[in-house]
């Protein structure tokens, strides 16, 4: 490819700080520009509504940047290479072409190469304005990723209805589990000052098809529901509206007491019900297209219906009744575990919610984390998927890397998401994948959705690191279509964010694709989980024990002793396997057949247990810890050799972060080996270096100001 020959010539002259995300729109290589110009010679796009204005502006900005020249606009097709964008309402041409827009839905679109009066034209058509905006982003993506614009015939519509970001942002701008600086929501200056950044946020999300955002932390503050804050939220909703994004708020269940002067928040109390109804009326007067509430109830100390002896369904339905007249939705979280039931935390959400199947109102979605513990580097899929046929379940992924090395570790989460989405629950026979459970097709639900805990903050690069932008990106693309491949998405992102040069793209995609397995290897191999340091979760803490509750310690999860290691969740142990459908349950229950990556999740095995490699378990653990560190070293070397394809600023930061990651991967390996060796009592296999320090050294490390800790 010609662009590969002279990378320096196509790099921008100015510094790059990552602020432009994947919407950089830098000029394409000269060799390609000519071909693209022939397919993009004029733009015909209405500007009668805010969404049309946004669509037209994005195309002019994108095409102007990519082609290096301002694109002429026109009312009609006057030359070859015209681009027509619109709906039957906004564009007479779309009507005239008689396109089949029937099953695109409100947000879908088609992109097709057609002839208009004998002139080669690309039409981007949709039923609604927002679909045309999504189509415009897709069209730009084709150019950004160096694809042909000829003979296009694409149809796209989202598989999931709600595609949400969950911000765990407090009103004082502290972001729980945030590693990208303060919250982007500058509540104090809102509503009078509306930072232009909010528009860029909306553009980035719309480019992926994200259509919902929950602005505040699930550990919610009732103040967000007060009139002053609703005005602020309304200002944000106004910015997002043209981009098809609706705002939601996390609702604190005890709000009627905290901001409403009531003595109770009992969901069956008529005064409480009235309070929520009138609060909903007030919200919709302020924000007519408000999305609804996200609720964390009776979980980790949050208030909820169980404080009054009521069920989660009774709590959710009370809020549902308040929102129903306005068309709002309740997203009720299934992340609950109680102090009383300490037998196995992994079993608790299932035990709590399955009996409530069928008891939730139609506008309630149950939001379920991908695994039953908590966003670990690897978890088997949550047994609730498929187990509540009468209730629509939405997925909750974590984009921010609370348990995966914060912002400095390069860990591409696409393979984690994909692994969960493709897992087969066998709920209604083979092929009942998690993706099909959440898209509603397994049980015929209309309501469907996915939520991603955002990794966005006020840092210039939004996500705390350049590569963490890829996690926002892949989340959004999979929320649009959960069957996409994480590798293909990684490639898209690399091309849009860095370079189309294959000599850069291939090694970087390879780095990314193996990076999550590497993190699993150096942190929690073979099904180990929740071994991070207490509280802030930065770094290893397999020795963590004691404190307020057993399931907030590491020893609870790894159960290592002189005899062996692992949590016995088989039929002989906690029997968590029984929460899966029989075929899956039998596989997980059988130590011979359980996928090895979940061995210690489901089984307690002796240190000399023979693993599939032939190595005894202890040796296999050491091997994997070491392999993880080795992978990071390789990523670092590989990245060092790619300097000529990337601007110096971004190259240097990624390089420095990989240095941090290598150091911390080594720390994880060494601390884990030092600790587990006190129990296994076994020597390191030949050729493996001992930990650099004693166990005491690792145990004594403290990180008093580690970012993002809950508070
Ligand atoms: C845990 C986080 C905590 C969150 C909680 C949740 O450590 O900060 O509040 O999840 O999802 O992973 O509610």
């Amino acid at each position: 490819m010609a662009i590969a020959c002279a990378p320096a010539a196509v790099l921008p002259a100015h510094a790059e700080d990552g602020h432009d995300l994947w919407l950089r729109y830098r000029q394409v290589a000269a060799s390609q520009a000519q071909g693209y110009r022939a397919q993009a010679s004029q733009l015909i796009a209405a500007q009668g509504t805010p969404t049309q204005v946004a669509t037209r502006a994005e195309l002019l900005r994108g095409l102007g940047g990519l082609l290096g020249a301002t694109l002429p606009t026109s009312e009609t097709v006057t030359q070859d290479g015209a681009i027509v964008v619109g709906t039957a309402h906004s564009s007479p041409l779309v009507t005239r072409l008689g396109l089949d827009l029937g099953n695109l839905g409100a947000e879908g679109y088609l992109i097709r190469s057609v002839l208009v009066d004998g002139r080669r034209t690309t039409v981007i058509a949709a039923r609604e304005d927002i679909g045309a905006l999504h189509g415009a982003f897709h069209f730009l993506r084709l150019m950004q990723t160096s694809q042909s614009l000829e003979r296009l015939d694409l149809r796209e519509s989202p598989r999931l209805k709600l595609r949400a970001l969950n911000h765990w942002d407090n009103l004082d701008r502290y972001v729980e589990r945030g590693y990208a600086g303060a919250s982007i929501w500058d509540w104090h200056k809102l509503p009078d000052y509306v930072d232009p950044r909010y528009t860029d946020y909306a553009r980035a999300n719309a480019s992926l098809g994200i259509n919902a955002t929950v602005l505040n932390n699930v550990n919610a503050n009732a103040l967000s529901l007060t009139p002053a804050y609703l005005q602020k939220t309304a200002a944000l909703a106004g910015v997002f509206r043209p981009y098809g994004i609706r705002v939601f708020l996390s609702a604190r269940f005890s709000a009627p007491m905290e901001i409403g002067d009531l003595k109770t928040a009992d969901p069956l109390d008529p005064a409480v019900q009235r309070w929520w109804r009138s609060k909903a009326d007030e919200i919709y007067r302020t924000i007519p297209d408000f999305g609804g509430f996200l609720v964390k109830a009776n979980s980790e100390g949050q208030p909820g219906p169980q404080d009054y002896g009521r069920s989660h369904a009774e709590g959710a339905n009370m809020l549902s009744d308040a929102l129903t007249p306005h068309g709002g939705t309740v997203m009720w979280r299934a992340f609950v575990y109680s102090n009383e039931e300490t037998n196995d935390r992994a079993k608790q959400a299932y035990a709590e919610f399955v009996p409530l199947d069928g008891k939730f109102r139609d506008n309630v979605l149950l939001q379920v984390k991908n695994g039953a513990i908590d966003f670990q580097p690897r978890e088997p899929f949550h047994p609730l998927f498929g187990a509540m046929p009468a209730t629509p379940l939405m997925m909750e992924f974590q984009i921010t890397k609370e348990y995966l090395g914060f912002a400095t570790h390069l860990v591409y989460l696409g393979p984690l998401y994909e692994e969960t989405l493709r897992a087969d629950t066998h709920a209604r026979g083979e092929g009942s994948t998690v993706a099909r459970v959440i898209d509603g097709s397994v049980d015929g639900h209309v309501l469907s959705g996915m939520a991603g805990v955002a990794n966005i903050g006020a840092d210039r690069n939004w996500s705390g690191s350049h590569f963490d932008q890829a996690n926002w990106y892949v989340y959004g693309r999979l929320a649009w279509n959960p069957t996409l491949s994480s590798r293909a998405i990684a490639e898209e992102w690399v091309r849009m964010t860095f370079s189309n040069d294959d000599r850069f793209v291939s090694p970087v995609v390879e780095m990314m694709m193996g990076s999550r397995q590497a993190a699993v290897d150096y942190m929690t191999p073979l099904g180990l989980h929740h071994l991070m340091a207490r509280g802030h979760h930065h770094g290893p803490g397999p020795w963590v024990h004691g404190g307020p509750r057993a399931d907030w310690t590491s020893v609870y999860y790894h159960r290592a002793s002189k005899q062996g290691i692992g949590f016995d969740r088989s039929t002989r142990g906690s029997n968590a396997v029984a929460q899966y459908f029989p075929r899956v349950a039998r596989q997980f229950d059988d130590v011979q057949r359980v996928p090895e990556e979940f061995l210690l999740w489901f089984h307690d095995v002796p240190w000399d247990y023979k693993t599939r490699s032939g190595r005894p378990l202890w040796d296999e653990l050491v091997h994997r810890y070491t392999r993880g560190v080795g992978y990071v070293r390789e990523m670092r070397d590989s990245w060092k050799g790619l300097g000529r394809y990337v601007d110096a600023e971004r190259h240097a930061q990624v390089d420095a972060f990989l240095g941090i990651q290598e150091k911390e991967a080594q720390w994880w390996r060494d601390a884990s080996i030092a600790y587990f060796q006190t129990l296994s009592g076994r020597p390191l296999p030949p050729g493996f270096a001992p930990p650099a320090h004693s166990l005491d050294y690792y145990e004594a490390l403290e990180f008093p100001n580690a970012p993002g800790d809950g508070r």
Side-chain angles (χ1 to χ4, degrees):
M1 263 199 315
I3 41 167
C5 302
V10 296
L11 290 179
H14 64 274
E16 297 235 24
D17 57 14
H19 189 73
D20 293 339
L21 294 162
W22 47 90
L23 303 177
R24 287 166 67 246
Y25 303 137
R26 297 291 186 269
Q27 198 170 335
V28 299
S31 58
Q32 205 158 32
Q34 208 180 351
Y36 278 166
R37 276 193 206 110
Q39 305 292 332
S41 65
Q42 62 178 181
L43 177 66
I44 297 135
Q47 42 189 338
T49 66
T51 301
Q52 290 166 13
V53 170
T55 306
R56 183 179 157 112
E58 195 69 34
L59 283 166
L60 289 175
R61 173 187 193 141
L63 293 167
L66 289 160
L67 301 177
T70 308
L71 193 71
T73 56
S74 165
E75 295 293 311
T76 54
V77 175
T78 58
Q79 52 183 302
D80 275 337
I83 301 166
V84 175
V85 192
T87 65
H89 305 291
S90 70
S91 165
L93 265 173
V94 166
T95 313
R96 212 181 98 195
L97 286 166
L99 301 162
D100 172 20
L101 307 178
N103 55 6
L104 289 176
E107 297 178 292
Y109 56 86
L110 61 77
I111 304 179
R112 192 171 297 167
S113 305
V114 294
L115 285 178
V116 173
D117 301 330
R119 298 193 171 93
R120 279 184 296 103
T121 302
T122 303
V123 61
I124 304 171
R127 288 170 69 88
E128 307 283 344
D129 282 348
I130 187 60
L133 177 64
H134 291 151
F137 276 114
H138 189 147
F139 181 73
L140 289 166
R141 187 163 73 232
L142 295 175
M143 296 175 82
Q144 291 174 281
T145 55
S146 222
Q147 295 183 56
S148 166
L149 299 181
E150 287 171 43
R151 289 182 287 281
L152 296 176
D153 189 6
L154 302 163
R155 291 181 85 83
E156 282 277 336
S157 43
R159 305 250 178 134
L160 300 177
K161 209 160 165 188
L162 273 175
R163 305 174 299 278
L165 284 181
N166 288 183
H167 290 267
W168 284 0
D169 296 17
N170 293 347
L171 302 181
D172 64 1
R173 302 192 73 182
Y174 180 84
V175 182
E176 183 160 336
R177 312 309 176 183
Y179 313 104
S183 168
I184 45 170
W185 317 130
D186 192 346
W187 293 109
H188 186 69
K189 299 197 189 82
L190 282 164
D192 299 317
Y193 175 63
V194 178
D195 193 326
R197 220 182 150 134
Y198 305 145
T199 306
D200 289 330
Y201 167 88
R203 289 175 50 235
N205 282 318
S207 77
L208 306 172
I210 287 172
N211 65 358
T213 179
V214 187
L215 300 175
N216 59 324
N217 195 349
V218 286
N219 297 319
N221 185 328
L223 280 181
S224 68
L225 299 174
T226 55
Y229 274 92
L230 291 177
Q231 290 302 331
K232 296 168 192 282
T233 294
L236 290 172
V239 177
F240 304 157
R241 192 166 291 119
Y243 295 89
I245 300 165
R246 298 208 293 170
V247 299
F248 288 67
L249 290 172
S250 291
R252 185 162 165 88
F253 202 78
S254 52
M257 297 160 76
E258 287 152 18
I259 57 169
D261 274 344
L262 297 191
K263 294 272 168 297
T264 174
D266 181 349
L268 299 194
D269 184 300
V272 172
Q273 296 171 349
R274 261 197 314 279
W275 188 87
W276 280 108
R277 275 203 303 273
S278 84
K279 182 50 73 182
D281 296 346
E282 177 194 346
I283 295 174
Y284 280 90
R285 276 196 303 276
T286 322
I287 309 159
D289 56 353
F290 181 69
F293 296 132
L294 170 64
V295 187
K296 172 176 178 178
N298 292 120
S299 163
E300 300 184 327
Q302 293 301 308
Q306 293 179 334
D307 301 347
Y308 310 95
R310 315 298 183 197
S311 72
H312 281 279
E314 286 168 319
N317 291 344
M318 185 257 309
L319 293 175
S320 146
D321 290 343
L323 293 172
T324 296
H326 309 284
T329 305
V330 178
M331 301 185 286
W332 191 269
R333 294 178 87 227
F335 178 67
V336 302
Y337 56 97
S338 66
N339 260 324
E340 293 79 57
E341 181 38 287
T342 49
N343 155 15
D344 182 357
R345 174 167 146 190
K347 286 164 56 183
Q348 295 186 29
Y350 181 102
E352 184 81 48
F353 281 95
V354 167
L356 299 177
D357 191 27
K359 301 214 162 78
F360 293 95
R361 303 254 201 276
D362 287 350
N363 60 344
V364 179
L365 273 160
L366 197 63
Q367 183 167 310
V368 182
K369 289 189 181 182
N370 57 287
I373 295 296
D374 198 357
F375 298 140
Q376 293 303 295
R378 174 170 271 133
E379 297 196 34
F381 69 87
H382 202 303
L384 272 174
F385 292 113
M388 296 183 63
T391 311
L393 262 48
M394 70 187 282
M395 171 64 75
E396 179 174 329
F397 283 129
Q398 198 176 41
I399 308 171
T400 189
K401 302 206 313 301
E402 173 182 358
Y403 297 100
L404 284 128
F406 295 6
T408 40
H409 292 209
L410 194 166
V411 181
Y412 172 55
L413 298 176
L416 186 162
Y417 302 157
E418 185 176 44
E419 185 175 297
T420 309
L421 292 166
R422 294 192 177 180
D424 196 342
T425 68
H426 286 272
R428 256 42 90 217
E430 198 170 337
S432 309
T433 59
V434 172
R436 293 194 55 242
V437 170
I438 62 163
D439 76 11
S441 58
V442 164
D443 292 310
H445 293 297
V446 181
L447 214 53
S448 61
M450 197 188 281
V453 180
N455 64 353
I456 298 163
D459 277 6
R460 274 297 290 170
N461 66 21
W462 302 86
S463 301
S465 79
H466 297 296
F467 273 88
D468 275 313
Q469 297 178 356
N471 292 328
W472 176 6
Y473 186 87
V474 68
Y475 164 74
R477 298 282 287 127
L478 286 171
W480 178 272
N481 181 354
T483 68
L484 292 177
S485 111
S486 65
R487 176 178 286 273
I489 297 171
E491 179 172 337
E492 244 173 58
W493 177 82
V494 171
R495 290 179 180 277
M496 293 164 85
T497 306
F498 286 112
S499 162
N500 269 305
D501 191 318
D502 288 333
R503 290 173 303 180
F504 177 82
V505 176
S506 321
V508 175
V509 170
E510 285 313 316
M511 276 168 60
M512 292 169 73
M513 289 307 292
S515 60
R516 182 281 189 128
Q517 179 60 44
V520 170
D521 283 345
Y522 63 72
M523 291 181 177
T524 49
L526 290 171
L528 290 173
H529 50 287
H530 221 304
L531 307 185
M532 293 73 193
R534 201 198 287 277
H536 51 62
H537 299 151
H538 174 58
W543 46 81
V544 169
H545 65 279
R549 38 186 309 161
D551 53 4
W552 285 357
T553 67
S554 303
V555 296
Y556 173 89
Y557 292 103
H558 63 64
R559 311 218 158 179
S561 68
K562 301 268 179 218
Q563 280 68 49
I565 180 169
F567 198 130
D568 188 354
R569 296 192 165 103
S570 74
T571 39
R572 292 161 303 283
S574 79
N575 200 20
V577 291
Q579 294 184 336
Y580 290 94
F581 283 87
R583 218 173 117 177
V584 181
R586 280 196 300 274
Q587 195 196 2
F588 288 168
D589 191 39
D590 182 348
V591 71
Q592 300 297 328
R593 288 202 302 135
V594 65
E596 200 159 56
E597 63 261 31
F598 298 133
L599 179 64
L600 305 179
W601 186 284
F602 288 112
H603 297 275
D604 180 2
V605 295
W607 293 107
D608 62 358
Y609 176 82
K610 193 168 166 206
T611 61
R612 278 166 215 169
S613 65
R615 285 185 279 265
L617 180 79
W618 167 250
D619 291 18
E620 182 67 20
L621 279 173
V622 174
H623 170 79
R624 291 195 182 216
Y625 282 126
T626 310
R627 181 175 79 183
V629 183
Y631 190 90
V632 177
R633 202 168 294 132
E634 280 167 27
M635 288 202 291
R636 203 176 168 196
D637 287 347
S638 175
W639 183 257
K640 276 196 194 300
L642 295 169
R644 65 199 186 103
Y645 305 107
V646 195
D647 48 283
E649 290 75 15
R650 290 189 297 169
H651 188 266
Q653 194 189 77
V654 172
D655 181 47
F657 283 12
L658 284 167
I660 296 173
Q661 185 176 7
E662 187 183 338
K663 210 165 64 185
E664 294 185 353
Q666 187 73 46
W667 166 37
W668 261 100
R669 173 208 182 263
D670 286 354
S672 306
I673 291 177
Y675 171 74
F676 286 124
Q677 199 171 24
T678 62
L679 296 159
S680 80
R682 296 169 77 93
L684 290 185
F688 286 85
H693 301 278
S694 69
L695 177 58
D696 291 347
Y697 167 89
Y698 297 113
E699 288 197 30
L701 294 175
E702 280 185 48
F703 303 91
N705 295 308
D709 200 356
R711 61 176 202 196

